[in-house]
Amino acid sequence: MASLPSPPDEATAAYLHRHPKRLSSNGAAEPASDFSKKPRVCPQSLNLISPSEVESEFSHHDPTFARINNGSFGCCPASILALQREWQLRFLRQPDRFYFDDLKPNIAESRAVIKRLINADHVNEISIVDNATTAAAIVLQQTAWAFREGRFQRGDAVVMLHYAYGSVKKSVEAYVTRAGGQVIEVQLPFPVVSADEIVGRFRNALETGKANGRRVRLALIDHVTSMPSVVIPIKELVKICREEGVDQVFVDAAHGIGCVDVDMKEIGADFYTSNLHKWFFAPPSVAFLYCKKSNNDSPDLHHPVVSSEYGNGLAIESAWVGTRDYSAQLVVPSISEFINRFEGGIDGIKKRNHEAVVEMGLMLSKAWGTQLGCPPEMCASMIMVGLPSCLGVTSDSDALKLRTLLRERFSIEVPIYFCPPKDGEIDPITGYARISHQIYNKPDDYYRFRDAINELVRDGIRFTYLTK
Amino acid sequence: MESEERNGESNRHHRAPKKPRFAEFITESEIRSEFAHHQNGIARINNGSFGCCPGSVLADQREWQLRFLEQPDDFYFNVLRRGLLESRTVVKDLINADDVEEVSLVDNATTAAAIVLQKLGRGFVDGRYQRNDTVVMFNCAFESVKKSIQAHVTRVGGSTVEVRLPFPVSSNDEIIAAFRKGLEKGKADGRTVRLAIIDHITSMPCVLMPVRELVKICREEGVEQVFVDAAHAMGSVKVDVKEIGADYYVSNLHKWFFCPPSAAFFYCKKHSSGSDVHHPVVSHEYGNGLPIESAWIGTRDYSSQLVVPSVMKFLNRFEGGIEGIMKRNHDEAVRMGIMLADAWGTNLGSPPEMCVGMAMIGLPSKLALQSEEDGKKLRSYLRVHCGVEVPIYFQGLSDGEEGVRDKDGGVITAYVRISHQVYNRVEDYERLRDAILRIRSLSEPFLQH
């Protein structure tokens, strides 16, 4: 039976990584029922996971780094990686049998797990894709068809946040603008003081979209913006969209599951996507796209890579986009088991991440004499911390230079955001660090960051003048 | 973003590592251990469907994966694109492309088809093409390609002409003649053939096509663009994209080129086709050229595309490198095919020169396979009860067709497609031979079981 000892100690974890198990049987043809049991993490022990076990689960992380950027690429514990490898080997052993017998039912099980996690009504509403970027292509493609085929008028609007993710903006350009739709960007304040500011600006944008008899066909809203990172009052915005007659609402929650509360019925959007490899411990990469049932019957909802499953519904299409490695999608049930080894499960993890990142954010802003980018209640497990203005970050390029310097000189990984100063601001804070907190982080990670910035300040570094 | 990284321009000229002169070639037992992860006890004679990947390449893949997991930001900024460029450069040299900018890496041929057909669809939507302008392809085109045409072309007013592949087939001329007729049909009533889709090696049934001649005919007949779907080609036949002369050419690297699932290269000839091709998953790299777009389609595992140089190392352990492997696979597939046809009293679906590392062999008429469903049942039966993995192709007779008869006097309605790859042994095919003979000799027809 293919199951792992639990939990792997550090040596075993490292070994498993460098010397993957070779599954070879010994002779006779195996009956078809072999490997019908999925690889599983051992049943939950009464003891919760200990700090040293957590450390060993992430022993493959570069130990020299203060890794305070979980938000960009997420993380995956060693025991899940090992299970992923089991799935990969299962395919490699006998790919035809895997394709015919194993793949589809196990993807279906992953989808069922996700449905329960996010409180969706039907498993048909859940499709699994690579990442939120792919999900955006799916939703925007159907919008594009509506424009092309005249169901939407030229000039009808798609409303999105100015801080929408770069790839999503390009997707809107490629699929919507190109097909004749008009794009309205909602300028959000940053730093932000309250959710009301966001709600107000959003309302205005909808008004603009509806001017001159046009309609707002799609509102594309982040649940948690990426850069700068702020938790958006999504329930309220969806409600406003319904009141104002917006056709469809698409929530881009790349930082969703494992970061904020993700309840489809409560949020009420038509489409909702979240990566699982960011805050839900999945290996790269796997995400889900939720499509509320009424939209599900849309004939235009298709995976952009058309396979033989075309026309069988988005979920089925997404489960086969040609030969590739689906293993990240297959470990989802095992992740739930991993998470349940933590006190309070995923909610406990979220709570502790939030409290820690706020605490560390406050510590840093006090140490540097700066401020947070938003009030604590508008952040989840990431927070924007102002950097001393004397560092002279005056452009995106300066921000990148600072990030690179932190990585190369101090072994600190943290993304930096350039915030353009407002007119009349005196001594503005133009650089913000987006710090993340995940279960593998320690206070020392943030102390190192504090000290590194203090050192740069003491050395009189000005990024405006750095040519490197 | 980091502009100095993004374009990844490099003057570094990658050459495939030279074969070690004094080292020995890989031994039989080393090959067995490279594929020790394959399930024992199965005659795995279907490399054509999902390919294979040796243990040493899997180990290198794991190193790449680990590197990402260790420090993903550093990987993204400093490692990924360089690694992909190196893989692309190896491919460019192998396929004789002019410029590495013509080579993109994608997941599989299915993705490349989506790219080409989305572009074609835009031609209809933007009004550059007339309604009913055509796409010409063979009826045995891969199912996902057909669906992609439906999704992006037929939907916006394009029409299709399917050319029936003569099968069994005895010469290239038959295929060329059928294709010419198809082009005529595509041009009838003043229409323009906007795209011809030609398989380099068809999938089911499996035949090596005279792709150079077919492309030449396309140019003569004014076909606007030619897309060669060569999913099986890389590692099966020599691939020279300049000689073949198509606008688009895609081949999987995980089928016959020992990459892990999944990786494919997609070649777009410069000038004619390089513009307005986009990856359907749009990222912030949109507009920077297909190779760059494809090199970042969001966070995911790109490791299977990064191991192409490792594959070259593996190949060069074999006598004759990839050419040696291709030749031996072809010779063995043909030899085993003839052995099976003789044993069963049936035929090869095509002459040896139209086979690659795969061959089609007629199944005995006594098996009485009368539908695709029957073929699937037989395939399952072979897998579950006989330890044989081999795909079955069913071909009913068209009106007026006499069909080919076997030694038992019945009409042959189905073929197996056998593959030969470096891990296969004669025993694999003998097992298939004996299983079919056993089934044939059952007193009740197989399908009653």
Side-chain angles (χ1 to χ4, degrees), chain A residues 284-296:
Chain A
S285 66
V286 50
F288 72 83
L289 171 60
Y290 160 88
C291 304
K292 187 147 70 161
K293 194 140 197 301
S294 44
N295 298 285
N296 224 1

Side-chain angles (χ1 to χ4, degrees), chain B residues 9-244:
Chain B
E9 297 301 334
S10 166
N11 292 325
R12 185 165 42 102
H13 220 36
H14 181 99
R15 285 271 166 249
K18 290 219 156 77
K19 236 184 2 251
R21 276 188 193 288
F22 300 106
E24 282 166 11
F25 294 125
I26 193 170
T27 64
E28 275 304 314
S29 89
E30 282 167 343
I31 293 175
R32 266 200 297 285
S33 110
E34 285 283 4
F35 295 100
H37 54 277
H38 285 192
Q39 190 171 341
N40 264 355
I42 290 274
R44 182 165 162 156
I45 45 187
N46 186 23
N47 196 73
S49 281
F50 298 105
C52 66
C53 184
S56 48
V57 175
L58 290 172
D60 284 352
Q61 182 191 22
R62 232 155 265 135
E63 293 288 336
W64 284 108
Q65 289 167 337
L66 208 61
R67 222 161 143 187
F68 171 83
L69 294 164
E70 233 171 26
Q71 221 295 42
D73 303 77
D74 177 66
F75 190 89
Y76 171 77
F77 283 108
N78 300 320
V79 175
L80 177 62
R81 282 179 195 77
R82 276 210 195 99
L84 292 174
L85 178 63
E86 186 165 339
S87 286
R88 285 165 57 208
T89 309
V90 170
V91 168
K92 163 204 169 274
D93 289 340
L94 283 170
I95 66 174
N96 192 28
D98 275 332
D99 190 332
V100 76
E101 289 309 307
E102 297 176 311
V103 178
S104 303
L105 294 171
V106 294
D107 273 351
N108 43 42
T110 300
T111 305
I115 292 173
V116 174
L117 292 162
Q118 278 195 3
K119 172 177 172 170
L120 200 75
R122 286 194 282 275
F124 286 96
V125 168
D126 296 346
R128 282 175 284 117
Y129 298 164
Q130 320 292 31
R131 271 193 89 75
N132 288 322
D133 276 352
T134 45
V135 175
V136 175
M137 64 186 167
F138 284 89
N139 68 330
C140 57
F142 202 57
E143 187 60 20
S144 59
V145 175
K146 290 187 171 182
K147 295 279 187 175
S148 216
I149 293 172
Q150 193 188 326
H152 295 295
V153 176
T154 322
R155 181 176 185 159
V156 290
S159 71
T160 57
V161 170
E162 282 195 14
V163 177
R164 191 159 177 275
L165 180 78
F167 187 82
V169 65
S170 39
S171 79
N172 285 335
D173 293 336
E174 291 178 60
I175 294 176
I176 290 170
F179 187 68
R180 276 195 190 280
K181 284 209 197 82
L183 287 186
E184 285 310 310
K185 234 172 128 200
K187 289 161 68 176
D189 306 323
R191 295 177 304 176
T192 308
V193 178
R194 296 295 177 180
L195 183 72
I197 303 179
I198 307 171
D199 292 51
H200 194 154
I201 299 167
T202 55
S203 180
M204 277 302 223
C206 182
V207 169
L208 174 63
M209 306 274 267
V211 71
R212 269 175 226 82
E213 288 91 326
L214 294 176
V215 174
K216 205 156 142 282
I217 292 167
C218 286
R219 303 301 185 202
E220 289 164 9
E221 298 296 319
V223 171
E224 198 172 80
Q225 301 204 302
V226 183
F227 171 36
V228 174
D229 177 359
H232 288 277
M234 194 73 162
S236 284
V237 288
K238 176 163 162 272
V239 174
D240 184 327
V241 289
K242 288 224 285 281
E243 233 193 4
I244 292 167

